[in-house]
Amino acid sequence: MRARDLAVEYETVTVDTDALAAARLMASHRLPGLLVLDGQGAPKAILPASQMIRMLVPGYVLEDPALAAVIDEKHADRLCAALRGRTVGACLPPKAPAPPVAAPDDTALEVAALMAQQRSPLVAVVERYKDGTATLLGVITAAHLLDRLLDAAPPTSPTTPTP
């Protein structure tokens, strides 16, 4: 199983995408994160859903989580207003690492190792050409990779005790 065979179409955004639109995209598709592309369509970063949620939490609550208990539901419902007028680029951590990128011919184990090493919920699959250009072929999510690897595993015996 090669990366090109595992790659699927995946929602992408750019650093200039509206943050509220990106959050809605994440929520509606239940994505663990979004692949952020640069101006040429190359992978630039991953915006995890957890980072987007972090943008919603007021700074004083991040400093003292006990304060979250004193915010009533009426005000909590307005947390997404924190994204209004922001871009995806403003939501990325200041030193956001480049996303993990696999070559089309990488094996499933190479992709799994890359994903595990970088603790990333997704890996971009990119075809690089001799002229220096590149094309995003798709993305491999951790859930999709795990599903494909489990398909290849022998079934568990019904008499085998589970821990």
Side-chain angles (χ1 to χ4, degrees):
M1 203 174 334
R2 300 290 175 178
R4 77 172 71 251
D5 304 320
L6 294 167
V8 296
E9 284 187 35
Y10 195 82
E11 300 293 344
T12 61
V13 294
T14 68
V15 292
D16 297 323
T17 300
D18 177 74
L20 198 51
R24 284 191 173 112
L25 182 63
M26 251 187 235
S28 68
H29 293 283
R30 301 190 187 284
L31 300 173
L34 291 171
L35 183 61
V36 182
L37 304 178
D38 66 14
Q40 287 74 44
K44 177 178 177 56
I46 293 173
L47 177 59
S50 59
Q51 177 65 23
M52 189 63 86
I53 290 171
R54 188 177 204 289
M55 297 301 298
L56 305 177
V57 179
Y60 59 87
V61 175
L62 289 174
E63 290 177 22
D64 185 359
L67 293 175
V70 300
I71 297 176
D72 63 14
E73 287 301 312
K74 181 176 134 187
H75 287 92
D77 288 344
R78 297 187 199 143
L79 290 176
C80 284
L83 296 177
R84 210 169 266 121
R86 289 188 173 182
T87 64
V88 165
C91 296
L92 289 170
K95 294 181 181 177
V101 175
D105 289 328
D106 285 354
T107 65
L109 183 55
E110 288 174 302
V111 172
L114 180 62
M115 194 175 280
Q117 182 184 39
Q118 295 197 21
R119 296 181 181 172
S120 177
L122 42 112
V123 171
V125 179
V126 175
E127 179 84 55
R128 297 188 191 281
Y129 303 102
K130 292 178 184 177
D131 65 0
T133 60
T135 302
L136 176 66
L137 300 181
V139 168
I140 302 169
T141 66
H144 180 69
L145 179 60
L146 187 57
D147 183 55
R148 292 297 296 270
L149 292 173
L150 286 170
D151 280 348
T156 307
S157 165
T159 58
T160 304
T162 55

